[in-house]
Amino acid sequence: AGNGFFVQVAAFSDQNNANKTQARLRDIGPVIITPVSASVGTIYRVQMGPLADESTAHNVLSRVVDAGHHDARVIKIARY
């Protein structure tokens, strides 16, 4: 139980773009790509995490924004 903190970086319809973003952000921390079915087809969501706590997530967020991903945001996912 508990919560997982992630930084939602971006979502791409092209998996190659997701892979490139993942490679660029690897030095900051763990990067995951999650394929999500959407009405327009598969979207590849790029997230940093899971991160230890909200403070860590905000530190990672500032580094991700500095790397050019200005729409990134912290999200909290409940785990059961």
Side-chain angles (χ1 to χ4, degrees):
N3 293 315
F5 288 92
F6 293 81
V7 173
Q8 172 76 34
V9 178
F12 299 97
S13 57
D14 182 345
Q15 188 173 7
N16 288 330
N17 289 335
N19 292 339
K20 289 176 194 170
T21 300
Q22 181 182 46
R24 281 196 300 272
L25 297 177
R26 254 195 203 111
D27 290 342
I28 296 174
V31 188
I32 57 171
I33 297 174
T34 307
V36 179
S37 293
S39 59
V40 295
T42 302
I43 300 293
Y44 298 91
R45 186 182 302 152
V46 181
Q47 297 175 325
M48 305 288 298
L51 302 164
D53 52 40
E54 192 169 5
S55 176
T56 301
H58 282 283
N59 288 337
V60 169
L61 173 64
S62 68
R63 294 180 68 191
V64 168
V65 169
D66 286 346
H69 297 280
H70 302 287
D71 294 331
R73 64 189 190 279
V74 172
I75 59 172
K76 183 167 75 170
I77 298 174
R79 294 185 295 204
Y80 298 98

